[in-house]
Amino acid sequence: MMVRVASGHFPAGNVNLGGIAEAFAFVPWKGQERFFISGITCMAGKDTGKETPRRLPYPPLSRQDSRPHLPPKSKRMENDVMKMKNLKKLMALGLAAALSLSLIGCSGGTSSSDDTATEAAEDADSASEAETADTASGDAAEYNIAIVKQMDHASLDEIANAVAAELDAIAAENNETINYEIYSGQNDQTTLKQLGDQAIADGVDAIIPVATLAAQVMTVCAEDTQTPVVYAAISDPEAAEMTGIDNVTGTSDALNTELILDMMLAADPEVQNVGLLYSLSETNSAKPIADAKAYLDEKGISYTEQTANTNDEVISAASILIADGVDAIFTPTDNVIMAAELAIYQDLAEAGIPHYTGADSFVRNGAFATCGVNYTTLGTDTADLAYTAITEGMDGLDDYYLSDGGIITVNTETAETLGIDYSVFSDMGEVVEVQTTEE
């Protein structure tokens, strides 16, 4: 006899339960569960629409006592009783089996077949949908990119964060996966080389170095594999020898030095001596400083140079320029000076010396004003260029792309300390007002 739990049942009005009830007497009662005997639910009484089974008036036999309790009788009578009981069992089981086969043939098969067909169709649909999803997932492109900053400071951080944000946006728009990590070389060539070698060993699809030294080192690391190197923020790619290389392109934040010095004279036409504060280790600074000297010489304005390669040296150089009584200070897009701006801006402002710089990140860290590239925009453009290099190849890409400048950024807090009316810049370009932050 096969017994299994099921959820459906046949209405009692349509089933002759005479034999089934007899068979049921030999099936242990399991509380509120319903049982099938050869596929038929054992229910009693009229179908009330409820699914609570009613116990039949035949008590089941327990496994501990397989015989009903009998009054004392002779051995022969007891044997006769046992024979009759066994015969009754066999008849009940035979009737139940016959009725089960009849019901299965007439009605149960159709319902079971329909249910099975429905379930099979649903399973097929689910499998098809899962297969489609797996196929779509498998077809989605996945790229790995290393973003390597030359060092940590506001300008390079702004660029790297903009690159990351744009990569996220590209991935979402194209339903792709772009994995990236942001690293800092701490302005150390050995550290940068290690980062570049590791990126190549990891098999990245592209490297995005931020600033000149990082770009130069990454280019060397990618020479054998020809991994695309898409740099950001090289002011003079030609001077940095970053042109004419098949797997290298990028964005340039070339400075309009003349316009910044024009701003200086617009704010104070009486400027007589200008301090030039920069680092000899920064390739970015070479051309703008040369341009500044030529401009000042043409205007008959003297200048005092101070160079530095560490934060302490920058602080010392700024102190010397203050002591020399310069009227203003110019610094191009110099990463070394930028890293120390928060340490010098207050002393310069209190001394009445406006600091004109090559990037808006300087100004956000306390310098007076700039006219140059917006580094968030530059970072976004660099990410777009890197995606093109990965997906379409390097063929047809220029050596570098010049980012649009012309945005004048003024620190209003520093302007107030200096007592300078920066409205004079309004005719020179779009003016953006910022305040000092430590980011």
Side-chain angles (χ1 to χ4, degrees):
M1 179 184 294
M2 180 180 69
V3 179
R4 62 185 176 86
V5 177
S7 59
H9 65 275
F10 295 101
N14 297 329
V15 180
N16 185 342
L17 297 176
I20 297 176
E22 287 288 325
F24 190 80
F26 299 96
V27 180
W29 187 256
K30 298 295 183 180
Q32 295 300 313
E33 292 183 340
R34 289 167 293 175
F35 290 84
F36 271 74
I37 300 178
S38 298
I40 304 171
T41 309
C42 294
M43 302 293 292
K46 294 182 178 180
D47 187 1
T48 62
K50 298 181 180 179
E51 294 193 352
T52 302
R54 181 157 54 87
R55 185 170 181 174
L56 297 178
Y58 298 90
L61 300 178
S62 67
R63 293 186 180 181
Q64 289 79 15
D65 183 4
S66 61
R67 299 190 310 165
H69 296 287
L70 300 173
K73 295 181 182 179
S74 67
K75 189 70 175 178
R76 182 176 179 179
M77 182 179 288
E78 183 177 349
N79 290 337
D80 290 341
V81 171
M82 287 302 300
K83 290 179 180 179
M84 293 179 67
K85 296 292 292 185
N86 290 334
L87 181 59
K88 189 176 182 179
K89 290 181 184 179
L90 291 174
M91 292 177 64
L93 291 175
L95 289 171
L99 183 58
S100 298
L101 292 173
S102 174
L103 290 171
I104 291 173
C106 296
S107 60
T110 302
S111 175
S112 175
S113 176
D114 291 344
D115 292 343
T116 302
T118 301
E119 291 175 2
E122 292 175 351
D123 290 344
D125 289 342
S126 298
S128 178
E129 290 174 3
E131 184 178 354
T132 300
D134 291 342
T135 301
S137 176
D139 290 342
E142 182 172 359
Y143 306 111
N144 298 296
I145 297 175
I147 304 170
V148 184
K149 298 184 296 181
Q150 180 171 316
M151 60 194 298
D152 294 316
H153 70 63
S155 293
L156 306 191
D157 293 346
E158 182 179 348
I159 296 170
N161 291 337
V163 169
E166 180 66 5
L167 292 177
D168 288 339
I170 292 172
E173 180 180 353
N174 294 284
N175 193 29
E176 297 173 341
T177 299
I178 300 180
N179 306 306
Y180 57 81
E181 292 286 345
I182 299 176
Y183 306 94
S184 173
Q186 303 302 323
N187 206 34
D188 180 78
Q189 187 167 343
T190 300
T191 301
L192 287 166
K193 183 66 163 59
Q194 291 172 346
L195 292 173
D197 288 341
Q198 186 60 55
I200 296 300
D202 290 342
V204 298
D205 297 292
I207 303 177
I208 301 179
V210 184
T212 304
L213 180 60
Q216 291 170 328
V217 174
M218 296 306 114
T219 299
V220 172
C221 294
E223 183 175 3
D224 292 339
T225 60
Q226 289 294 290
T227 300
V229 175
V230 184
Y231 59 78
I234 295 184
S235 297
D236 191 348
E238 294 181 1
E241 299 182 350
M242 293 296 292
T243 57
I245 306 173
D246 291 341
N247 65 312
V248 177
T249 187
T251 57
S252 172
D253 59 344
L255 196 62
N256 188 339
T257 304
E258 181 176 349
L259 181 55
I260 294 177
L261 296 178
D262 284 344
M263 289 170 56
M264 183 186 294
L265 294 180
D268 182 7
E270 303 301 321
V271 168
Q272 297 296 317
N273 187 18
V274 174
L276 302 179
L277 177 61
Y278 62 100
S279 171
L280 291 174
S281 65
E282 283 288 303
T283 305
N284 285 341
S285 295
K287 186 175 187 304
I289 289 296
D291 291 342
K293 290 178 179 179
Y295 178 97
L296 295 172
D297 286 340
E298 183 179 349
K299 299 289 185 181
I301 300 172
S302 63
Y303 50 85
T304 300
E305 293 183 75
Q306 284 293 321
T307 60
N309 293 311
T310 67
N311 276 17
D312 289 341
E313 290 179 1
V314 173
I315 294 171
S316 177
S319 297
I320 292 173
L321 291 175
I322 291 173
D324 284 350
V326 297
D327 299 309
I329 294 175
F330 168 69
T331 296
T333 51
D334 190 298
N335 293 300
V336 174
I337 309 304
M338 174 61 234
E341 185 64 32
L342 284 168
I344 65 174
Y345 84 92
Q346 194 166 3
D347 289 342
L348 294 178
E350 292 176 352
I353 301 174
H355 190 188
Y356 293 87
T357 63
D360 61 347
S361 49
F362 281 84
V363 180
R364 296 176 193 279
N365 278 185
F368 171 52
T370 186
C371 180
V373 172
N374 180 292
Y375 279 149
T376 295
T377 301
L378 182 142
T380 300
D381 293 342
T382 304
D384 292 339
L385 184 59
Y387 182 74
T388 298
I390 292 172
T391 58
E392 300 179 16
M394 300 291 294
D395 292 344
L397 295 181
D398 293 341
D399 282 340
Y400 64 92
Y401 296 83
L402 187 62
S403 294
D404 294 333
I407 299 174
I408 296 174
T409 306
V410 176
N411 187 308
T412 57
E413 295 174 330
T414 301
E416 183 178 358
T417 301
L418 292 168
I420 296 178
D421 179 11
Y422 58 87
S423 64
V424 295
F425 302 148
S426 298
D427 294 336
M428 305 177 74
E430 177 186 355
V431 177
V432 175
E433 299 176 335
V434 301
Q435 295 182 333
T436 303
T437 65
E438 296 187 4
E439 298 179 357

